[in-house]
Amino acid sequence: MDKFIIEGGHRLQGSLTVSGSKNSALPILAATLLTRERCVIHRVPNLSDTRHMLELLRYLGAEVYYEQGTVIVRAETIHAQAPYDLVRKMRASICILGPLLARCGYAQVSLPGGCVIGDRPIDIHLHGLRALGATITTESGNIHASATRLVGQEIFMGGKFGSTVLGTDNVMMAATRADGTTIIENAACEPEVVDLAQVLCKMGASIQGAGTRRIEIQGARELHGFEHTIIPDRIEAGTFMVAAAITRSAIQIRGVCRSHMQAILSQLEACGVRFSAEGQTLSLSVPEKLNALEIATDTYPGFPTDMQAQFCALLSITSGISVVTDKIFPNRFMHISELKRMGAQADLQGNTVIIKGVPYLSGAPVMASDLRASAALVLAGLAAKGNTEVLRVYHIDRGYERIDEKLRAVGAVIKRVPQ
């Protein structure tokens, strides 16, 4: 188990490149189970989550090759049982359920369990698959799904915290092998859903409306192999933008898809960060004095919950009083207690934190609790006085490809050492 040691107080300069999207790569890798043919996927980030997915594909019988960001999968012969020992490593493993059911007519997938950022039930996934004609039971911690024939239906994918990305992905993938037309109402609109839909169309499905609340899928009798390049990771890009802001630095970030990041860019502009763009390269300049913000997370195109923790770190040293509300995961504030160890002034009230900016943070040992909380603590360490130790950085390795190397390349003083 590793930790980061960060010497704070250094300005960043230079440029770095955003990796492919983790949240896009995982369901697209799962989609390779829908066909017997060869699938080629470029810009797959080398993360613990993607490595777990490749391990799961191999267990299910697929041939998998991975080198320098390109994955080649051929799932010519597969079986449809995924055990707990593999599924527990990564909650997104649940997105194999729809492809296995569509391809094999049966799937047994272990329930993925709880999550430190709050309850993330899969009942909407199961509702959507049942609507397509699947019989689903849960027993001994496993989901058993079977269907002799999937039939297109109109399905409302509603949940108490809005639409579900992986639920939309699961039903959309299953529907590509269903008879007739499937309509998903209240579908997730995230760019990662659109990326998956583009892959499914390359495979032979007909999909209209991806990126809107209403997706229409016309199933195909057979699906084919594909070649595809993963979209840039908008959360990694946003994290690096906050790294520039929190250290009051000027850097360039390459490989940014600005159309995917309007909510993040809007909040950074309101904070006082300035941008200039040339193609997919974004140049940032940051004044010494930034503005307090009022932020509420929401489903896309709203402000992403996956950027909430990073902005909390930034606002902890932004003068004035900021208010951050998480409407997606109300319990996703475990980073606040760790930021307070570094000197932040924050008052947590339900799903809202009120942050009073302080002049500076002080380096301290802090404990990462989840992926995005880890990133927030790294950002806080970059700006803090003295040294910060971020423990349990295996969390950050789930979603950021070589983040310590990338930050060192722009002047951060950060090293990875055994804990």
Side-chain angles (χ1 to χ4, degrees):
M1 190 180 299
D2 294 342
K3 66 180 177 181
F4 287 154
I5 299 178
I6 305 167
E7 182 182 288
H10 297 275
R11 298 286 178 101
L12 307 181
Q13 60 179 350
S15 62
L16 44 77
T17 301
V18 175
S19 298
S21 168
K22 172 185 84 85
N23 290 337
S24 184
L26 295 175
I28 288 174
L29 287 169
T32 63
L33 296 170
L34 287 164
T35 179
R36 299 175 184 274
E37 297 181 11
R38 182 174 180 265
C39 304
V40 182
I41 311 167
H42 302 292
R43 200 161 61 188
V44 176
N46 186 4
L47 308 167
S48 60
D49 270 13
T50 52
R51 293 193 296 271
H52 289 323
M53 180 60 82
L54 298 181
E55 181 184 5
L56 182 54
L57 294 178
R58 290 188 183 101
Y59 177 87
L60 294 170
E63 297 177 8
V64 179
Y65 173 82
Y66 181 37
E67 185 175 356
Q68 296 182 339
T70 294
V71 173
I72 301 173
V73 180
R74 190 180 183 97
E76 189 168 4
T77 303
I78 60 172
H79 61 88
Q81 293 183 320
Y84 178 67
D85 280 349
L86 287 176
V87 173
R88 69 178 174 84
K89 297 178 182 179
M90 180 184 60
R91 186 169 181 82
S93 299
I94 192 63
C95 67
I96 65 172
L97 181 60
L100 287 178
L101 178 64
R103 168 87 178 269
C104 304
Y106 172 77
Q108 179 182 313
V109 179
S110 177
L111 285 162
C115 183
V116 71
I117 67 174
D119 188 28
R120 302 170 75 181
I122 62 166
D123 56 324
I124 303 175
H125 301 233
L126 304 186
H127 161 73
L129 296 175
R130 285 191 178 106
L132 292 175
T135 299
I136 300 176
T137 60
T138 57
E139 183 179 353
S140 301
N142 294 313
I143 303 165
H144 298 266
S146 62
T148 55
R149 177 169 167 258
L150 296 176
V151 179
Q153 300 288 340
E154 186 165 343
I155 306 167
F156 179 76
M157 301 281 287
K160 63 180 179 179
F161 297 123
S163 55
T164 161
V165 174
L166 285 181
T168 300
D169 290 342
N170 245 332
V171 174
M172 188 164 60
M173 286 189 281
T176 61
R177 298 289 292 264
D179 293 339
T181 301
T182 299
I183 295 173
I184 303 175
E185 296 282 6
N186 198 42
C189 301
E190 276 74 359
E192 296 79 14
V193 173
V194 177
D195 208 25
L196 174 62
Q198 290 177 349
V199 165
L200 297 174
C201 289
K202 289 180 180 181
M203 298 177 77
S206 175
I207 300 176
Q208 304 293 326
T212 73
R213 292 295 180 198
R214 187 179 192 271
I215 300 177
E216 182 174 318
I217 306 113
Q218 184 70 41
R221 193 169 296 277
E222 289 292 334
L223 295 178
H224 308 291
F226 64 90
E227 185 167 359
H228 185 74
T229 300
I230 300 293
I231 60 173
D233 193 311
R234 60 194 172 98
I235 304 302
E236 183 190 35
T239 300
F240 290 142
M241 291 175 190
V242 175
I246 201 169
T247 57
R248 309 304 195 260
S249 301
I251 65 172
Q252 295 80 46
I253 303 175
R254 297 190 298 262
V256 177
C257 187
R258 284 178 292 149
S259 63
H260 295 170
M261 303 188 60
Q262 292 305 309
I264 299 170
L265 294 173
S266 176
Q267 290 292 352
L268 284 171
E269 285 183 316
C271 197
V273 177
R274 294 186 288 268
F275 305 96
S276 62
E278 184 176 345
Q280 286 196 320
T281 297
L282 205 60
S283 299
L284 289 79
S285 61
V286 184
E288 286 296 325
K289 181 175 173 55
L290 294 177
N291 307 314
L293 297 174
E294 186 168 342
I295 298 173
T297 69
D298 206 346
T299 54
Y300 189 86
F303 187 85
T305 179
D306 279 354
M307 286 300 302
Q308 178 257 109
Q310 299 91 311
F311 268 75
C312 284
L314 171 62
L315 296 173
S316 68
I317 56 169
T318 298
S319 61
I321 296 176
S322 297
V323 180
V324 180
T325 300
D326 200 322
K327 299 192 293 183
I328 307 300
F329 296 117
N331 299 320
R332 196 178 196 174
F333 286 103
M334 295 184 71
H335 48 280
I336 294 299
S337 59
E338 300 303 295
L339 290 172
K340 289 170 76 171
R341 285 176 47 77
M342 300 177 71
Q345 292 188 16
D347 181 22
L348 188 58
Q349 300 177 5
N351 68 333
T352 296
V353 61
I354 300 170
I355 302 170
K356 182 179 180 182
V358 296
Y360 63 89
L361 299 175
S362 299
V366 289
M367 185 79 72
S369 58
D370 64 78
L371 169 57
R372 306 306 174 185
S374 305
L377 298 177
V378 168
L379 297 176
L382 294 176
K385 290 186 176 182
N387 288 348
T388 298
E389 293 187 13
V390 182
L391 309 180
R392 293 168 58 178
V393 299
Y394 62 84
H395 287 297
I396 207 165
D397 292 334
R398 288 186 45 234
Y400 292 91
E401 188 175 35
R402 307 186 321 276
I403 189 172
D404 49 328
E405 296 177 27
K406 290 185 177 183
L407 289 172
R408 275 198 300 274
V410 291
V413 181
I414 175 173
K415 61 182 178 180
R416 180 189 295 260
V417 299
Q419 187 169 316

